[in-house]
Amino acid sequence: MTANTPTHEFEKLAREKRGSLLAEFWDFLKHNKKWWMLPIVVILLLLGLLVLLSSSAIAPLIYPLF
């Protein structure tokens, strides 16, 4: 092995196509077995969607839910 081997590996990894944020999160959950995080993230996304929709024309339809 030469001294430049880590640099070549780094450059090779830098040229690879990156996946989406969702794909990276899925790989993280799969490889690190952090399945408990999935319901938390889903609930946070749903709450964020609810906040976005509450400031739109759909707001009168959402308020009766609470």
Side-chain angles (χ1 to χ4, degrees):
M1 292 180 87
T2 64
N4 292 334
T5 302
T7 304
H8 291 300
E9 289 179 26
F10 180 74
E11 289 172 357
K12 185 177 117 180
L13 289 172
R15 279 188 229 111
E16 287 182 3
K17 185 178 182 219
R18 295 190 61 188
S20 67
L21 179 66
L22 187 61
E24 286 189 30
F25 182 67
W26 184 254
D27 284 340
F28 171 76
L29 291 178
K30 199 166 47 170
H31 293 295
N32 295 318
K33 304 210 184 320
K34 302 282 186 185
W35 297 111
W36 57 269
M37 290 180 72
L38 192 60
I40 296 170
V41 171
V42 169
I43 295 296
L44 287 173
L45 289 174
L46 288 174
L47 284 174
L49 180 67
L50 189 64
V51 167
L52 285 176
L53 290 177
S54 68
S55 63
S56 68
I58 302 175
L61 302 174
I62 294 175
Y63 290 136
L65 295 176
F66 299 102

